[in-house]
Amino acid sequence: MNCRQCTEFIIEYVEGDLAGETRVAFEGHISRCPTCVRYIDTYRETIALGRQAFSADEEVVFEPIPEELVRAILASRPLKD
Amino acid sequence: MTDTGAGTDTPAATPDESSLVQALKAGDPAAFETLVRLHGGRMLSVARRFVANEEDARDVVQDAFVSAFRSIDRFEGQAKLSTWLHRITVNTALMKLRSRRRRPEESIEPLLPAFAEDGHHAAPIVEWPEAEDLLHRKQTAARVRAAIDRLPEGYRTVLLLRDIEELTTEETARMLDLTINAVKIRLHRARLALRTLLDADLHEAGE
C-alpha cells in the first residue's frame, strides 16, 4: 500500500470500520510512513476542530434577530382557526 | 439529531418554557413574538451554515418559524424548544438547498491531497500547532467556520450533517437522498478538503 491508497481508507480507519487484509496492509503502511501518521493525525484534528468550531458558538453572544425579520415572521404567522 | 450548540442532553422543558409552549398552543400573539426574539438569532446562525447568502438564510428562518407555528400543537415538550426549532431549521435549510441546486457543482479536486507518481504525498505533511489559549481557540474556531463555508455545497452539507449535527450516515443519506456510499465518499472528500484549507490557514496563523 502507498500513501495515495492509504489516504482512501482513512475514513474507515478512524471510524473503526477497516478490517481484514486491508487493515493489515494499512497498518503495515503507517508503521513505515511517518508522513501518513501525521496526515491521519491532522485528519482527526480536522474533525475535532469542526465540532469545536460550532460548539464554541455556545460562548458567542448571538446577534439579536434583525427587527425587519421579526416583523416579517410575525406577519406570516398562520392564524389559528 | 444532535443539536450542536443547543444541547440535546438537557432534558425537557423548564417551567418557563412549558408556560411559553402553552401560550403558543393557545395562539397567544405575544408568545409568538417571544419565541421569535428568543430563538431567532440562534436559528439564523444555524441557517447561515447551510445556505450561502444572507437573504436565503433569512428566508430559511422565516419558513422554519412558519412550520413551527403550524406544528406547535404536536410539540410534546419531550425535547427543549431550542432543540425542536434547531431541527426544523436544518430541515428547512436542506429544502432551500434542494430548491436551489441547479448550478453545476464546484469541483473539490483542487482541495484534495496531491500525490507523486509513485503514490507518495507530493508535499511534506507537518503537524499542526495547538491552540491552547482561549483567544487562540476562538480565532481558530472562526477560521474553521470560514473554511467550512468555502467547501463546495454538496460536500459542505454532508460534513455539516455528519460531523457537526452528528447524524448517522444512514440519516444523512435519507435527508439528502443519496446512497450510503455516496455519503461516505462525500464526507471523506469534504474532510480531506477541509484539512487542506485548515493546513494552509493554521500555518499562516502560526507564523
Side-chain angles (χ1 to χ4, degrees):
Chain A
M1 190 176 281
N2 62 31
C3 303
R4 183 200 293 274
Q5 293 157 335
C6 172
T7 303
E8 293 293 315
F9 293 110
I10 294 176
I11 183 166
E12 277 137 310
Y13 179 69
V14 301
E15 287 174 12
D17 292 337
L18 199 59
E21 283 174 27
T22 316
R23 187 186 176 98
V24 174
F26 185 95
E27 287 177 340
H29 175 78
I30 60 175
S31 72
R32 293 183 302 272
C33 180
T35 301
C36 279
V37 170
R38 285 193 294 275
Y39 194 88
I40 294 164
D41 284 346
T42 51
Y43 183 96
R44 287 187 205 274
E45 283 173 69
T46 300
I47 302 169
L49 285 171
R51 291 202 174 124
Q52 259 170 44
F54 291 101
S55 66
D57 265 2
E58 291 281 38
E59 298 154 16
V60 172
V61 178
F62 282 95
E63 295 167 43
I65 179 167
E67 208 45 49
E68 66 269 24
L69 183 54
V70 173
R71 282 197 296 274
I73 292 166
L74 293 176
S76 62
R77 179 169 74 88
L79 291 172
K80 280 242 162 195
D81 315 318
Chain B
M1 178 183 304
T2 300
D3 165 23
T4 310
T8 24
D9 294 338
T10 21
T14 58
D16 276 4
E17 199 164 286
S18 54
S19 55
L20 178 60
V21 171
Q22 272 181 359
L24 289 167
K25 287 186 179 180
D28 173 2
F32 283 106
E33 184 164 351
T34 304
L35 187 77
V36 172
R37 293 192 187 278
L38 214 55
H39 296 281
R42 183 180 286 273
M43 288 164 69
L44 190 55
S45 102
V46 171
R48 284 179 186 137
R49 295 175 196 171
F50 285 88
V51 298
N53 69 62
E54 183 64 18
E55 200 190 332
D56 283 353
R58 291 183 179 201
D59 280 354
V60 165
V61 173
Q62 182 165 352
D63 292 350
F65 272 115
V66 171
S67 319
F69 295 160
R70 285 219 174 91
S71 52
I72 188 69
D73 285 335
R74 294 197 299 274
F75 178 76
E76 287 174 359
Q78 308 285 10
K80 290 185 13 168
L81 268 175
S82 57
T83 308
W84 183 67
L85 290 169
H86 179 95
R87 197 172 302 150
I88 294 174
T89 308
V90 171
N91 285 330
T92 311
L94 295 180
M95 278 192 312
K96 179 64 126 188
L97 289 177
R98 265 198 296 275
S99 72
R100 283 285 161 95
R101 199 175 301 144
R102 289 294 170 264
R103 294 166 276 144
E105 182 152 81
E106 220 181 307
S107 169
I108 199 164
E109 291 297 325
L111 296 174
L112 298 181
F115 298 95
E117 258 176 55
D118 63 2
H120 281 84
H121 278 279
I125 304 295
V126 285
E127 285 170 26
W128 287 351
E130 270 184 57
E132 58 292 330
D133 56 283
L134 188 67
L135 178 67
H136 241 95
R137 281 214 303 274
K138 285 217 172 275
Q139 286 169 345
T140 304
R143 279 170 181 270
V144 174
R145 288 197 294 264
I148 290 174
D149 274 349
R150 287 171 60 194
L151 297 175
E153 181 191 299
Y155 295 88
R156 184 181 68 238
T157 309
V158 171
L159 184 114
L160 286 171
L161 292 180
R162 283 286 282 105
D163 284 349
I164 313 302
E165 299 294 327
E166 298 187 43
L167 296 187
T168 64
T169 303
E170 290 74 13
E171 288 167 328
T172 305
R174 214 176 312 124
M175 286 181 89
L176 298 177
D177 200 18
L178 292 171
T179 63
I180 286 180
N181 210 32
V183 169
K184 287 183 181 166
I185 291 169
R186 278 178 180 252
L187 176 63
H188 186 45
R189 291 197 180 151
R191 286 169 174 174
L192 294 174
L194 180 58
R195 190 212 154 275
T196 303
L197 291 169
L198 294 179
D199 192 53
D201 255 22
L202 293 173
H203 287 117
E204 199 180 292
E207 273 159 18

